[in-house]
Amino acid sequence: MKRRTILGAGIVALAGVGCVPRQELDDPPERPDIVDSNSTGQNLHNGGDLVMALSAEPDKLDPTTSSSLYTRYVMQTMCEKLYDLNHRGEIVPMLAAALPEISDDGREVVIRLREDAVFADGEPFNAEAVRITLDRHFNHEQSSRRSELGPITGIEAFEEFAVRVTFEKAFSPFTAALADRAGMMLSPKALEELGDDFASHPVGVGAFKFVERIPQTSITVERDPLYYDARNVRLDSVTYRIMADANIRAANIQSGDVHVADSISPQDIEAVKASRDINTLQVLSLGYQAITIDLEPKDDAGHPLDKGLIATDERVRVAFTKAIDREALVNTVFNGWFDAACSPISPSSPFATEESTQCPEYDPEESKRLLEQAGAPVPYPITLKVSNSQDSLRFAQALQAQVKEAGFAIRVVPTEYTAMLSAQDSGTYEAIQLGWSGRVDPHGNAYNFWTTDANNNYAAFSDRTLDDLLTKASEVTDLDERSALYGAAVKRMQETNPVIYLYRQRSLTAYRANLVGVSTYADGVVKLSHAAFIEGRQP
């Protein structure tokens, strides 16, 4: 099968070349996942300072309120969770001693804890610490975790190392939520002393502990001697150096000035892979990149703006999604390294069905007909805020060229990443392109973005049908029943389209060949807690 491309003049702005004709491209090659570096048979050096090039500035280092993938990169070294994912995407105990004990009606969950952990400030890790942390995640007025945790009615530390959580109704995604930020445990002493300023000096249980943050420059953590598995932590420190420019990250990993670099561009990956001094990890993400349409747009001062037809008329949003040939864009812009995405449900998810992964048909003629039917001006103008990274801009400009044929005129506004997050939170945009790193349970990819009043409902969208479908999907345990509910939910999403899905990234991570113990799984987080330099080959 061949894939068409319809990028036309959009490539001119990107490559600085003359007119690029339409062309036929073969399907991209298979890209098998490579999730970790193998330390088998290696003599490992005890010590060393690792530097990682991080592609964007994290937001607040506070698991309760943060929303950035890059915050998770840093926090995973010093703030372990009750549960984690393994390389197969399975949920496994971390600070918990075992998987939860769940009552027959699903309304009571007991979590038993490991008894050998201690926070970096010396505070004991126990059930009371878990109760305090979960209470903060659930009740903090600025929490981004509340809707991830479900309809909790009580949290009780009923034994020194056992917590009981009760629910109004059964909540199937709870364990999966605790394998992400909602499961990150925080020192009660630090919370009491710092309160809402916890991010200035975060304290958790981890292989490393916080040292300092230099805004827009770096974040440094150092080995924690109190860590329960300290004997298997080799590095002295990890410094996350902010390098937003993909070309600079590629150059620094090739020169050896950094030891790990995330988000290698598909434009650079082949050259990076060709170096015998560099290895790569490549994992298809559970997450996605999407365009969100703000149905209640505001200006930069927070004042309501007049709503355009794209905010008030579903037909305009349907026309926009039908104007996008996702596979052609992804295959051309990203050289086949990424995949088209049409819903929050990854095709690799056990919950995936034909209905939940079906793409809207590319039909520019139907787009023009819908615009005419809605009485919309043609070309219909859309102002789109986009991260100022090279890959995001490359895609946005190609999209700009593609949808012109269907009657849309996109104005691309390049924006710094943390400013993008701020705009998303405050609703100061008409349309914005941002990603979500993905969760192993579909609830974490759908409910929080689509249901009325959910924490991440950035579109200000409300639809009773979707509320009911996504709530029901969280309350049942049968895989087939949940999958069918998510399929029905995706069908409704594609009828309303406040969120328009575009593509799934492949996490492309480069690391120096003298380093082992680096891993990245489908949640997109690069893990460094047990990284080490090979003896005799350390810097």
Side-chain angles (χ1 to χ4, degrees), residues 257-269:
D257 288 338
V258 303
H259 308 111
V260 182
D262 83 298
S263 303
I264 299 298
S265 169
Q267 307 300 318
D268 300 323
I269 187 65

Side-chain angles (χ1 to χ4, degrees), residues 30-313:
E30 292 294 322
R31 309 284 191 185
D33 285 354
I34 305 171
V35 300
D36 54 34
S37 55
N38 189 353
S39 61
T40 304
Q42 303 281 3
N43 292 320
L44 304 183
H45 178 68
N46 189 34
D49 302 304
L50 184 147
V51 179
M52 178 176 177
L54 197 60
S55 56
E57 169 91 350
D59 60 359
K60 287 186 176 182
L61 300 180
D62 184 339
T64 302
T65 60
S66 68
S67 59
S68 167
L69 165 64
Y70 307 99
T71 302
R72 294 167 68 209
Y73 280 35
V74 176
M75 295 303 295
Q76 60 86 25
T77 62
M78 56 180 172
C79 200
E80 289 190 348
K81 303 164 288 187
L82 292 173
Y83 298 97
D84 200 8
L85 300 183
N86 65 16
H87 66 282
R88 292 186 292 271
E90 300 163 336
I91 298 173
V92 293
M94 196 173 200
L95 290 176
L99 292 175
E101 302 163 14
I102 303 174
S103 64
D104 290 342
D105 64 3
R107 294 176 57 195
E108 182 177 295
V109 177
V110 171
I111 302 168
R112 302 197 181 273
L113 309 173
R114 64 184 312 141
E115 300 180 16
D116 58 350
V118 63
F119 289 100
D121 58 3
E123 284 289 291
F125 171 74
N126 54 27
E128 181 61 12
V130 173
R131 185 198 67 77
I132 290 170
T133 299
L134 290 179
D135 182 78
R136 183 177 191 261
H137 288 338
F138 188 70
N139 289 310
H140 193 289
E141 63 180 12
Q142 294 181 329
S143 176
S144 297
R145 311 281 79 85
R146 185 180 300 109
S147 56
E148 297 174 3
L149 290 168
I152 290 176
T153 57
I155 307 168
E156 176 191 1
F158 71 97
E159 293 178 6
E160 185 178 3
F161 294 102
V163 177
R164 180 184 293 112
V165 183
T166 54
F167 294 86
E168 179 184 349
K169 300 177 181 178
F171 184 64
S172 296
F174 184 58
T175 308
L178 299 181
D180 203 85
R181 269 175 290 212
M184 288 184 176
M185 295 294 106
L186 316 178
S187 163
K189 179 181 178 182
L191 289 174
E192 182 178 0
E193 292 178 351
L194 297 173
D196 289 344
D197 199 31
F198 178 83
S200 67
H201 196 101
V203 181
V205 176
F208 295 84
K209 60 182 179 178
F210 181 79
V211 176
E212 67 172 351
R213 178 175 192 168
I214 302 174
Q216 301 178 0
T217 302
S218 66
I219 299 169
T220 300
V221 298
E222 66 182 8
R223 178 161 38 179
D224 182 7
L226 299 180
Y227 181 54
Y228 61 85
D229 192 29
R231 69 171 188 242
N232 289 316
V233 179
R234 303 283 182 163
L235 297 170
D236 291 324
S237 72
V238 176
T239 296
Y240 296 90
R241 193 178 297 166
I242 313 305
M243 294 185 183
D245 189 298
N247 295 329
I248 292 176
R249 288 196 304 281
N252 273 263
I253 191 70
Q254 289 172 307
S255 69
D257 288 338
V258 303
H259 308 111
V260 182
D262 83 298
S263 303
I264 299 298
S265 169
Q267 307 300 318
D268 300 323
I269 187 65
E270 297 296 347
V272 170
K273 284 177 62 183
S275 172
R276 67 179 184 178
D277 296 323
I278 300 173
N279 295 326
T280 58
L281 306 177
Q282 48 200 57
V283 184
L284 189 61
S285 173
L286 291 168
Y288 53 79
Q289 284 280 329
I291 291 174
T292 299
I293 308 297
D294 194 344
L295 307 188
E296 300 286 346
K298 306 176 184 67
D299 63 19
D300 290 340
H303 302 128
L305 292 172
D306 291 338
K307 299 176 185 177
L309 284 175
I310 198 165
T312 60
D313 196 320

